[in-house]
Amino acid sequence: MAAKTKVQFLGAAGTVTGSKFYIETHNMKFLIDCGLFQGLKELRQINWEDLPIHVEDLDCVILTHGHLDHTGYLPRLIQQGFKGSILGTSPSLAIARIILMDTAKIQEEEAEEANRENYSKHHPALPLYTEKDAEKAIELFESIEQDKWIKLSDKIQFRMRSAGHILGACFIELDIDEKIFLFSGDLGRNDDLLLAPPHKPKWGDYLFLESTYGNRLHPREDVEEILMRNINEIIQNNGILLMASFAVERLQLLSYILWKLFKKNKIPNIPVYIDSPMGIDVTRLFEKFPESHLIPIEELKAIKGHFELVSSYKRTWEIIDEQRPRIVIAGSGMLTGGRILTYLKQFIDNPNTHLILTGYQAEGTRGRQLEEGTHEIKIRGRYYPVKAKIERIESLSAHADQKELIEWCKNIRNIPEEVFLIHGERQAADAFRVKLESEFNWNIRIPKLEDKIEL
């Protein structure tokens, strides 16, 4: 009889962020993903806590993709004594490298500013981790080829298969003692402009399934019409259009859509600034990994030539001081940090400002507050009245909706022994549970943070 495999949910359980799943077998210990919690303060505070496992005993970490909520805790793992391998596809590791270094730099800068301006409750304010910590994590990166079975031990192997979502993202088929543990990671859309549809698995004895949009369908929006309307209004009112964007995938998608509108003469040739150093770095990866996406290389070059890519913070302030209609795409996508906050501090109280939220807004983020109609937002210790026009484009999401998740599951030939709904807020996960039970009659569980199971 095969020994039991233990799984502990160290993140993305009852919430969307902090993806971390601890696997312990008779001869190996490893993590699937190692992400940061974002959003609610009580979740973010968990980032400062050591994991409730012996980190120094971990053999490896396997990454589904490079997003912060799947990779951002890696430097903290190093601080706790991790010395194993960090495995992922080449594009995923390239994205993770950019995100970790950027996050570490922001952590250090924000701690420095908090100490200088004296707005932190902590004296002194410290970064969660430093650039040196991030570099130590990056040194452990090991690239894995997609679709190829990788042996971890005699009875453990895994395979990474394309999940859409972002460049290099994969779901994981983990074979332990001839049982398939299927980790969906974040699944992408079937009709994404940038990426091919996700591959579909044929078998899963235990399924760990994301449920971010488990309770809804993405609306059928005319994104081009929404952008054209907003652009025409800022031109009439001499305003500014701010687009809060994730640096990975969303920024490239928005750039591509705007470029196509310019090319078709559907919008005037007004300045477009891509003010996201991390987004610019990620865009270069689209050139480096052309086989991983659908944008023709000549289009990528044309986009870079047409829009201004902003790196220096000095240039940010020059753009702020301009007295003409302009479009700015900046991160972060949920307004938790980044250059978008500099623009918001200057423009959020102006009714001629248009702010478009372009993706999922987690609980506790400024983006969620604005989406829900707050009259003021707090940025670095100060409140700013909200008078700008706020709009959200939901259909650009890189996450599969309920219908697409169910379609993905339909390809699984067997009846899984158990299905665990992860990476979703409680309401979304519970609605998805009901839908899946009626569709497949599967045995479904919604785990809580730090729950342990034996399979």
Side-chain angles (χ1 to χ4, degrees):
M1 183 178 169
K4 296 268 190 185
T5 297
K6 296 174 185 174
V7 180
Q8 188 171 9
F9 299 85
L10 300 177
T15 183
V16 169
T17 63
S19 188
K20 284 186 277 308
F21 308 101
Y22 173 61
I23 317 288
E24 183 178 339
T25 72
H26 66 287
N27 66 346
M28 287 203 80
K29 296 171 183 175
F30 54 96
L31 288 178
I32 303 289
D33 283 340
C34 190
L36 271 190
F37 287 102
Q38 297 168 279
L40 293 171
K41 186 176 181 181
E42 57 262 36
L43 287 175
R44 287 185 280 115
Q45 285 174 331
I46 300 172
N47 294 327
W48 293 88
E49 298 172 10
D50 287 356
L51 294 182
I53 59 173
H54 294 293
V55 168
E56 65 277 9
D57 294 338
L58 288 172
D59 296 289
C60 65
V61 178
I62 305 171
L63 302 176
T64 59
H65 64 288
H67 268 151
L68 183 68
D69 62 323
H70 294 256
T71 65
Y73 193 81
L74 285 168
R76 287 280 294 119
L77 212 63
I78 301 299
Q79 291 172 352
Q80 293 162 56
F82 175 71
K83 292 183 172 64
S85 304
I86 298 169
L87 312 174
T89 64
S90 293
S92 287
L93 296 180
I95 288 168
R97 179 180 286 108
I98 291 167
I99 284 178
L100 291 182
M101 292 305 295
D102 186 76
T103 303
K105 185 181 177 190
I106 288 169
Q107 293 279 345
E108 291 186 275
E109 287 173 352
E110 287 186 346
E112 189 181 317
E113 184 181 351
N115 290 323
R116 189 173 60 248
E117 303 292 333
N118 199 31
Y119 62 72
S120 173
K121 293 175 184 173
H122 305 283
H123 303 288
L126 298 171
L128 183 63
Y129 51 77
T130 65
E131 289 186 77
K132 281 186 180 175
D133 295 322
E135 284 165 359
K136 286 176 186 173
I138 291 163
E139 285 170 10
L140 301 176
F141 282 5
E142 196 175 309
S143 179
I144 294 299
E145 195 179 325
Q146 244 176 246
D147 299 321
K148 181 180 173 184
W149 285 101
I150 308 294
K151 231 172 168 42
L152 292 177
S153 73
D154 284 347
K155 294 188 175 180
I156 304 174
Q157 60 179 345
F158 74 95
R159 176 169 70 164
M160 310 189 89
R161 308 203 62 212
S162 176
H165 187 58
I166 67 167
L167 213 62
C170 287
F171 63 87
I172 294 170
E173 294 173 331
L174 177 63
D175 182 345
I176 302 176
D177 289 325
E178 298 183 349
K179 291 279 189 182
I180 299 294
F181 292 66
L182 186 57
F183 287 85
S184 73
D186 289 357
L187 295 170
R189 311 289 304 281
N190 291 331
D191 56 356
D192 196 301
L193 276 176
L194 300 190
L195 302 166
H199 287 163
K200 291 179 179 175
K202 293 179 179 175
W203 195 274
D205 294 295
Y206 301 104
L207 175 54
F208 300 79
L209 179 61
E210 77 129 316
S211 55
T212 312
Y213 284 97
N215 61 341
R216 56 190 136 156
L217 304 177
H218 292 311
R220 291 188 175 278
E221 297 171 312
D222 188 334
V223 175
E224 291 192 354
E225 192 281 325
I226 292 169
L227 292 177
M228 288 189 297
R229 171 170 48 78
N230 278 277
I231 290 165
N232 288 329
E233 285 178 19
I234 63 148
I235 290 170
Q236 287 168 14
N237 300 315
N238 197 31
I240 185 169
L241 171 57
L242 302 174
M243 301 174 76
S245 174
F246 303 106
V248 184
E249 204 265 349
R250 195 62 38 79
L251 183 143
Q252 293 76 30
L253 178 58
L254 288 168
S255 304
Y256 191 33
I257 293 170
L258 283 172
W259 164 244
K260 292 205 298 182
L261 287 173
F262 279 124
K263 216 164 63 164
K264 292 186 277 190
N265 292 317
K266 288 191 171 183
I267 53 176
N269 190 13
I270 69 169
V272 177
Y273 301 104
I274 297 176
D275 195 348
S276 170
M278 183 164 68
I280 293 165
D281 288 342
V282 171
T283 301
R284 292 191 186 108
L285 297 183
F286 275 70
E287 295 179 67
K288 186 176 178 180
F289 299 105
E291 70 289 346
S292 298
H293 63 84
L294 304 176
I295 307 181
I297 287 296
E298 59 272 17
E299 293 280 356
L300 274 175
K301 289 177 179 171
I303 291 166
K304 280 175 64 180
H306 191 77
F307 301 152
E308 184 177 334
L309 309 180
V310 179
S311 292
S312 83
Y313 195 48
K314 179 174 177 283
R315 183 66 182 128
T316 297
W317 283 98
E318 290 170 355
I319 295 163
I320 285 168
D321 290 338
E322 286 182 8
Q323 300 298 311
R324 59 177 176 170
R326 59 234 185 260
I327 301 167
V328 176
I329 305 174
S332 68
M334 293 189 272
L335 314 181
T336 53
R339 300 253 177 113
I340 192 72
L341 296 185
T342 302
Y343 289 98
L344 289 182
K345 284 164 72 173
Q346 302 301 314
F347 295 112
I348 195 72
D349 63 347
N350 187 331
N352 293 329
T353 299
H354 289 231
L355 170 66
I356 296 182
L357 305 170
T358 63
Y360 186 82
Q361 306 299 318
E363 280 186 295
T365 61
R366 294 184 187 90
R368 174 68 76 91
Q369 291 167 21
L370 289 173
E371 184 180 273
E372 293 177 348
T374 185
H375 68 288
E376 61 182 6
I377 58 167
K378 188 179 182 183
I379 303 174
R380 292 178 184 136
R382 184 181 158 194
Y383 283 94
Y384 294 82
V386 177
K387 294 180 183 172
K389 293 181 177 68
I390 313 295
E391 189 156 3
R392 182 179 171 208
I393 302 179
E394 192 178 317
S395 59
L396 290 179
S397 173
H399 280 272
D401 64 11
Q402 186 192 79
K403 184 181 176 203
E404 289 164 323
L405 288 168
I406 286 170
E407 278 178 25
W408 189 79
C409 291
K410 278 181 177 173
N411 214 53
I412 298 172
R413 292 174 185 167
N414 66 308
I415 297 173
E417 293 179 38
E418 273 197 273
V419 177
F420 302 92
L421 297 186
I422 54 171
H423 206 284
E425 291 173 13
R426 300 296 300 184
Q427 197 175 354
D430 197 54
F432 193 35
R433 173 188 63 79
V434 173
K435 186 73 175 175
L436 285 171
E437 284 172 347
S438 66
E439 190 83 30
F440 301 110
N441 200 27
W442 284 350
N443 179 24
I444 296 171
R445 199 192 302 188
I446 302 174
K448 294 186 176 72
L449 199 58
E450 295 198 13
D451 273 1
K452 299 176 186 176
I453 54 169
E454 288 192 352
L455 304 171

